[in-house]
Amino acid sequence: MKVLLAGGAGYIGSHTAIEIAKLGHDIVIADDFSNSKPEAINRVRTIIGKDFPFYELDIADKEKLRALFEAEKPEAVIHFAGYKAVGESVAKPIAYYRNNLDTTLTLLEVMKEYDCHNLIFSSSATVYGAPDEVPIKETAVVGRCTNPYGWTKYMIEVILDGAAFADKELSVVLLRYFNPVGAHESGLIGEDPQGIPNNLMPFISQVAIGKRECLSVFGNDYDTKDGTGVRDYIHVVDLANGHACALNYAAAHKGIEVFNLGTSIGYSVLDMVKAFEEANGVKVPYKIVDRRPGDIAECYADATKSRELLGWKANKTLVDMCRDSWNWQSKNPNGYDA
Ligand code: UFG
């Protein structure tokens, strides 16, 4: 299948590009580099070992997106094009709603014009808000989001639901990601956060390499096994493979379906620190500080539906996640910047 990866130069998009190209799909990437680097595209080309079309454009720019569809005629779109920083979304809500909703609406309009009927959307476990119970099934209540970023994911799910209801030709797969970590085993691509990392694993990696002095653990008084927050960390290559399964699913089914992409295992912040130290033989100094506003105690997936209907499950271990994160960080101490 010819697949457009919208926002495909980012962390999850670049890994997905490799996994689906490996399976024989033809890929086209479009990205405006608003939160990614051209070097990521060079490295994806190196890993795949062949060229593919790349378009530098804003997915919300309808004329440019039309020109891409005219030239490439993609049969499916994987939609990663959105802003994703929780804290920034609280400070810049309008920019988040404008960008994340506009990219989606423009994609839907242009896909329809060009008879492209398969859409995979990067959603997030954030749509579950503070879950009533864990593990979280896809049928859990959604829409109790705690920040504008989360609301954009929720709103886009609602928009896509309406679009799939109205257009019986359309196939939509919503993928609710849990906590992606790790990197491609080559160490050529990985997560390249700008400024101070918000997320745990890049912060741990930067402490280990000496870029930051100490990890702040946000609270040790949660009702969890050691008091620190519990999450479902998933290797980004497993997550990427979930998109490959979703493409097959979309091609074989009409309508809209939602899947959790997680391992179903919850690890605490201190589990992650310990595992990282042991896997890589490094020290990660940490201190306990106050809870971070908006954080929840526990969040991990019930991934049964993904296993049964997508034929997908996460295979990589916590050691793989820690080793590959460190391999990327230590080979690229400044990310994609030389
Ligand atoms: N944490 C720390 N110190 C840090 C960073 C994180 O202790 O410096 C803790 C958090 O308190 C939490 C855990 O590590 O317990 C994971 O935090 P992350 O920021 O890595 O991830 P979140 O679970 O908060 O957020 C992630 C994604 C969001 C998504 C959300 C819900 O980053 O995009 O999961 O699924 F919305």
Side-chain angles (χ1 to χ4, degrees):
M1 217 182 326
K2 189 164 199 178
V3 184
L4 168 64
L5 294 96
Y11 175 44
I12 300 171
S14 56
H15 287 83
T16 301
I18 290 163
E19 296 311 308
I20 65 172
K22 237 165 50 183
L23 292 171
H25 294 291
D26 291 323
I27 62 166
V28 178
I29 297 184
D31 204 297
D32 65 356
F33 298 126
S34 56
N35 191 27
S36 58
K37 299 278 170 58
E39 180 59 15
I41 297 297
N42 298 336
R43 298 201 186 175
V44 170
R45 288 190 168 122
T46 302
I47 295 169
I48 294 175
K50 68 174 197 197
D51 206 3
F52 54 80
F54 173 78
Y55 290 78
E56 183 170 347
L57 56 80
D58 176 353
I59 300 295
D61 183 331
K62 201 170 191 176
E63 285 318 310
K64 287 190 179 158
L65 191 64
R66 274 191 180 129
L68 182 158
F69 271 73
E70 187 67 43
E72 303 292 345
K73 309 268 185 334
E75 298 161 86
V77 176
I78 311 183
H79 175 22
F80 304 99
Y83 297 155
K84 62 168 189 182
V86 172
E88 184 184 60
S89 79
V90 177
K92 300 180 183 171
I94 311 298
Y96 269 67
Y97 290 117
R98 168 66 77 192
N99 183 62
N100 293 7
L101 300 185
D102 263 5
T103 52
T104 307
L105 295 169
T106 307
L107 263 175
L108 284 169
E109 287 169 350
V110 176
M111 284 175 66
K112 178 117 182 124
E113 282 174 34
Y114 286 88
D115 288 324
C116 175
H117 304 301
N118 300 302
L119 178 63
I120 315 297
F121 175 60
S122 283
S123 191
S124 166
T126 197
V127 299
Y128 296 118
D132 293 326
E133 57 178 9
V134 284
I136 307 172
K137 285 191 173 41
E138 289 85 349
T139 47
V141 175
V142 292
R144 294 183 296 206
C145 303
T146 54
N147 57 74
Y149 157 76
W151 281 115
T152 68
K153 293 295 181 191
Y154 172 75
M155 288 175 186
I156 293 168
E157 288 198 359
V158 173
I159 290 168
L160 293 176
D161 195 53
F165 180 79
D167 178 356
K168 299 300 179 203
E169 289 249 81
L170 197 59
S171 299
V172 178
V173 177
L174 308 175
L175 297 177
R176 292 182 182 150
Y177 308 154
F178 281 70
N179 290 60
V181 296
H184 190 261
E185 61 180 8
S186 63
L188 283 173
I189 61 167
E191 188 169 12
D192 183 20
Q194 303 305 299
I196 302 170
N198 299 303
N199 296 117
L200 180 64
M201 191 58 117
F203 207 104
I204 289 179
S205 303
Q206 292 196 4
V207 170
I209 205 155
K211 263 185 137 173
R212 318 218 168 255
E213 221 166 88
C214 173
L215 171 72
S216 294
V217 175
F218 298 140
N220 67 350
D221 57 353
Y222 286 105
D223 185 15
T224 61
K225 58 181 173 179
D226 60 20
T228 65
V230 167
R231 297 289 183 277
D232 185 336
Y233 297 92
I234 171 168
H235 196 293
V236 66
V237 172
D238 278 333
L239 192 74
N241 279 312
H243 296 74
C245 296
L247 280 174
N248 294 338
Y249 187 89
H253 300 82
K254 297 292 171 204
I256 184 164
E257 204 58 73
V258 53
F259 297 99
N260 285 337
L261 294 184
T263 64
S264 309
I265 304 169
Y267 289 113
S268 73
V269 177
L270 296 182
D271 285 337
M272 297 304 286
V273 170
K274 190 159 169 273
F276 194 93
E277 290 184 329
E278 284 177 7
N280 300 314
V282 293
K283 288 305 286 176
V284 180
Y286 69 86
K287 60 174 190 272
I288 308 291
V289 301
D290 287 348
R291 290 182 179 194
R292 181 171 63 178
D295 272 357
I296 55 177
E298 279 194 298
C299 175
Y300 54 95
D302 180 328
T304 310
K305 183 177 173 188
S306 298
R307 194 179 65 236
E308 289 180 352
L309 298 191
L310 288 182
W312 171 90
K313 75 176 182 42
N315 293 314
K316 295 198 180 263
T317 65
L318 182 56
V319 172
D320 297 329
M321 300 181 211
C322 292
R323 188 199 54 225
D324 292 340
S325 292
W326 180 237
N327 185 39
W328 154 253
Q329 177 70 69
S330 50
K331 285 184 175 154
N332 306 270
N334 299 313
Y336 290 112
D337 293 333

